[in-house]
Amino acid sequence: MHLEDVSIEGFKSFSEETDMRFQAGISVIMGNNGVGKSNILDAVVWAMGEDSLDRLRCYSPDDLFFGGNRTQPPAHRIKVRLTFRESREKDAVGMTVSREMTRDGQNRFTIEGDDATPEMYRRQLSAFHTKDALKTIIRQEQINDLVSMPPPRRFEAVCSLMDLDPTRGIPGDFQDQLAQRLTRYMGYLMPEADIALKLGARNGAKDLDIQVAMPGDRRLRLHQLSGGQKAVTSLALKLALFGQLQSPFYLLDEVEPSLDYTHHKSMQAFLKDVSARTQLIMITHLRTTIELADSLHGVRTRPDGSSFMKFYFLMNKKLLRLYKCC
Ligand code: ATP
Ligand code: MG
């Protein structure tokens, strides 16, 4: 299952209908600062049923509508259409849904072109294994949030992400699977470190701590890690948690900011591993991530400031060679 097609119209900086076709493996969205890359993620998230303005990076619902410029009027309607496909096969089963909204707050949901209630829409998306897709997103501002929290808050955040009752704790089999995934991912990203999940309780509050043992028997707690080590651990932890959720795609918005060259290389192996099971739609400026792309999507702005897709490439060996040498 993967997100195959996204069409955006009137949403934030996308004034005109804009189509993009993603690949089942890794799709990379690239472009300069401010061209509208993160707006694409917002559009997907909104069409998946998100209503929280905060999570859509807005103050008011009006912020979702293209605001207009000297050549184009403001949008009065937004429409985002998503197509999912069961597999890469040509005749694989697919599903197209869309969400529309007008400035007076009227929403319209469709499934295969037919009107649907919000409940039918939600159920249809769940039937396509996307129950948790709104959770498998890492925003560029959020990369370190889980590792920066105090352990009791981390425990609550993990329970909330996993829909677990915090008073009952985290079940043993879940802990084992999480620990296994985390160890595997850290094996790529920080092979010199041994990582251990620690569930405990302090002052009556349950907490979740992570200990990292470095060479020389140095045992570090999360807050003692360097910025880059935190980013690596955070990414591994988040994706290990995502592995427990039901989502066919992860949206990753510039998640590799403060990694050194060695880490970028191991990051490639890590991303390949994750993308073997889950589609990754990644926003990045990094060459090493771009080299992994199955498709490349170039976003640009027109002279009037609105966004458009300047190019779309299906990556192949020849293109990759060309890319690497220029
Ligand atoms: P960066 O690499 O810096 O994160 P980005 O490509 O992710 O950049 P976005 O956050 O997607 O950038 O887009 C920001 C742009 O979208 C800004 O130029 C902003 O003016 C424009 N924008 C945001 N909301 C609207 C709107 N409602 N109408 C028109 N333009 C908008
Ligand atoms: Mg951005």
Side-chain angles (χ1 to χ4, degrees):
M1 173 66 61
H2 63 282
L3 179 58
E4 183 183 69
D5 213 82
V6 175
S7 160
I8 305 174
E9 186 180 352
F11 188 95
K12 292 200 176 182
S13 53
F14 288 87
S15 54
E16 293 172 16
E17 185 173 350
T18 309
D19 268 311
M20 50 213 89
R21 172 162 283 237
F22 296 122
Q23 296 299 305
I26 300 181
S27 297
V28 163
I29 301 170
M30 55 191 288
N32 295 345
N33 292 128
V35 293
K37 302 181 299 297
S38 300
N39 292 342
I40 296 173
L41 298 201
D42 294 333
V44 173
V45 166
W46 179 77
M48 294 293 297
E50 183 59 80
D51 285 315
S52 153
L53 291 175
D54 200 31
R55 286 194 215 119
L56 293 163
R57 303 188 304 144
C58 291
Y59 287 141
S60 100
D62 274 343
D63 295 341
L64 293 171
F65 292 77
F66 173 66
N69 54 40
R70 66 186 147 77
T71 56
Q72 290 168 296
H76 291 288
R77 184 188 72 134
I78 46 184
K79 179 172 180 178
V80 180
R81 198 182 62 232
L82 308 176
T83 300
F84 295 88
R85 188 77 50 199
E86 281 279 8
S87 72
R88 294 172 200 237
E89 309 301 320
K90 270 217 171 77
D91 51 358
V93 178
M95 167 185 74
T96 299
V97 296
S98 73
R99 180 177 184 182
E100 290 175 43
M101 190 166 82
T102 45
R103 289 243 184 209
D104 58 7
Q106 295 292 317
N107 273 281
R108 178 175 179 231
F109 298 91
T110 73
I111 301 168
E112 299 296 356
D114 294 330
D115 283 307
T117 62
E119 182 51 26
M120 284 161 66
Y121 188 82
R122 198 189 55 72
R123 258 190 284 123
Q124 184 70 12
L125 282 171
S126 286
F128 263 65
H129 316 292
T130 63
K131 182 173 81 63
D132 298 314
L134 286 178
K135 294 179 174 179
T136 55
I137 301 159
I138 309 180
R139 295 287 195 175
Q140 58 193 138
E141 313 83 14
Q142 288 173 342
I143 175 67
N144 281 338
D145 58 0
L146 268 187
V147 295
S148 308
M149 286 172 187
R153 274 200 48 217
R154 186 178 308 119
F155 175 80
E156 280 169 20
V158 167
C159 286
S160 151
L161 189 73
M162 298 293 129
D163 281 332
L164 293 169
D165 177 355
T167 59
R168 301 183 66 174
I170 300 179
D173 55 342
F174 176 96
Q175 284 178 41
D176 293 345
Q177 286 164 9
L178 183 61
Q180 264 175 29
R181 257 208 198 93
L182 186 60
T183 306
R184 184 161 101 238
Y185 291 169
M186 286 297 277
Y188 290 113
L189 297 171
M190 248 202 311
E192 70 280 18
D194 270 329
I195 191 150
L197 282 177
K198 300 270 176 209
L199 276 148
R202 226 167 296 169
N203 304 328
K206 291 195 171 72
D207 64 22
L208 173 62
D209 210 350
I210 293 172
Q211 270 190 357
V212 183
M214 301 295 276
D217 215 13
R218 284 181 300 135
R219 294 194 170 275
L220 303 176
R221 291 183 61 197
L222 281 184
H223 64 277
Q224 296 168 316
L225 297 177
S226 74
Q229 289 169 334
K230 265 197 193 127
V232 159
T233 311
S234 176
L235 191 62
L237 175 62
K238 285 198 175 226
L239 293 199
L241 285 164
F242 288 179
Q244 309 288 110
L245 295 169
Q246 202 182 94
S247 174
F249 62 89
Y250 302 164
L251 303 175
L252 307 179
D253 192 349
E254 295 185 48
V255 293
E256 336 90 312
S258 51
L259 305 181
D260 63 29
Y261 184 72
T262 333
H263 279 124
H264 287 154
K265 281 291 171 194
S266 34
M267 180 89 180
Q268 285 192 325
F270 165 63
L271 291 173
K272 269 192 196 149
D273 181 344
V274 178
S275 69
R277 275 159 290 110
T278 314
Q279 178 187 24
L280 301 181
I281 298 176
M282 303 189 65
I283 294 175
T284 193
H285 299 288
L286 275 186
R287 291 182 76 97
T288 45
T289 304
I290 292 167
E291 282 169 24
L292 290 180
D294 294 293
S295 64
L296 260 189
H297 308 256
V299 189
R300 296 285 186 274
T301 37
R302 300 188 181 91
D304 64 13
S306 61
S307 304
F308 71 106
M309 297 306 290
K310 168 86 174 173
F311 60 82
Y312 165 66
F313 292 128
L314 275 179
M315 286 297 257
N316 56 31
K317 284 201 177 107
K318 195 169 152 211
L319 205 57
L320 194 57
R321 265 203 312 278
L322 259 173
Y323 176 78
K324 278 185 172 170
C325 69
C326 56

